[in-house]
Amino acid sequence: MKNAEMPIGVFDSGVGGLTVFRAIERKLPNEGLIYLGDTARIPYGTRSASTVQRYAFEDAAFIQGKNVKAIAIACNTASAVASLALARDSSIPVLGVIEPGARRAVELSASGRIGVIGTEATIASRAYENAMFTMRNGLEIISRACPLLVPLAEEGWIDHHVTRQVVEEYLAEIRDAGVDTLVLGCTHYPILRPVIEEVMGDRINFVDSGEAVAEELAALLESQGMLRSASEQRTERFFVTDAAARFKRVAELFLGRPIEPVETVELGAL
Ligand code: DGL
């Protein structure tokens, strides 16, 4: 098979990475996609960096074994702690969401005052801050972990008063600090974007790291002559490490469409 015909691999700790999958699918509609959700070991966001690194290497090895031409790490937590090492060790391009999201935030922010929200592990890693500080001097970055937003999104509580209250509680400080840009630094947050926008107001730039990585991936594949031609129908495959039925249900909520059967892989196969 020619390189350009090979699919793109996407992995995440679970279902949330489908927001990134969706962004890639929209940007690159001809590309085949292979998705792995490590549902047996979610959440990554409350674990130590060394554990998440180990998981990320196992996920990437599985996806690479499916003959993909590039890998997008959808999970912000895995990107924060493992993307540099994965990219260094891999024979194919590996893109995490942090650098593209950070770049877009820095481009969009006029005041240089930027908010970042994510899991506990992503915020503790300071990966977004560190990336942004290398891109521009004089930034003021206000970060906050928002762990409750992950289960709320998976529950489908998108237009719900409880979600509104939780978002208000988490984001009031960042809003009151007068940021002009907010990075949605977790796979699940784009699902809650309407309520996040409602709480933050309409004068803020919102950065969806999934959209940002989809654009960088498209540019990278184009520059390497690796974009797939549209002659045949694109393919997609979904793998999980546990609870395939739940994944399928939440996945259809996240993607807004039915999906192919979900295949379960044994943890030992990773
Ligand atoms: N995928 C994770 C992230 O984007 C959120 C869910 C988890 O904690 O595993 O950080």
Side-chain angles (χ1 to χ4, degrees), residues 12-14 16-17 41-46 74-78 97 118-119 122 150 154 185-188:
D12 180 48
S13 55
R41 302 189 291 193
I42 193 174
Y44 285 8
T46 52
C75 182
N76 283 253
T77 306
V97 284
T119 65
T122 298
V150 166
E154 292 203 3
C186 173
T187 45
H188 291 62

Side-chain angles (χ1 to χ4, degrees), residues 7-22 32-39 62-63 66 68 72 74-75 187-188 236-240 247 251 254-255 259 262-263 265:
I8 296 166
V10 181
F11 76 84
D12 180 48
S13 55
V15 73
L18 289 174
T19 57
V20 179
F21 180 99
R22 185 180 61 179
L33 293 173
I34 294 193
Y35 185 89
L36 170 68
D38 188 10
T39 43
F62 172 82
I63 282 278
K66 297 286 166 207
V68 294
C75 182
T187 45
H188 291 62
E236 60 181 22
R237 284 180 84 180
F238 298 94
F239 294 92
V240 292
F247 177 89
F254 273 43
L255 289 178
I259 62 167
V262 177
E263 301 167 59
V265 285

Side-chain angles (χ1 to χ4, degrees), residues 9 13 20 47 63 71 73 83 88 120 135 140 167 173 187 189 198-199 231 241 254 262:
S13 55
V20 179
R47 298 187 196 278
I63 282 278
I71 295 178
I73 311 173
S83 62
R88 203 178 43 227
E120 287 170 83
M135 295 169 188
E140 193 182 334
V167 170
E173 196 185 323
T187 45
Y189 301 170
E198 202 179 301
V199 168
S231 52
T241 50
F254 273 43
V262 177

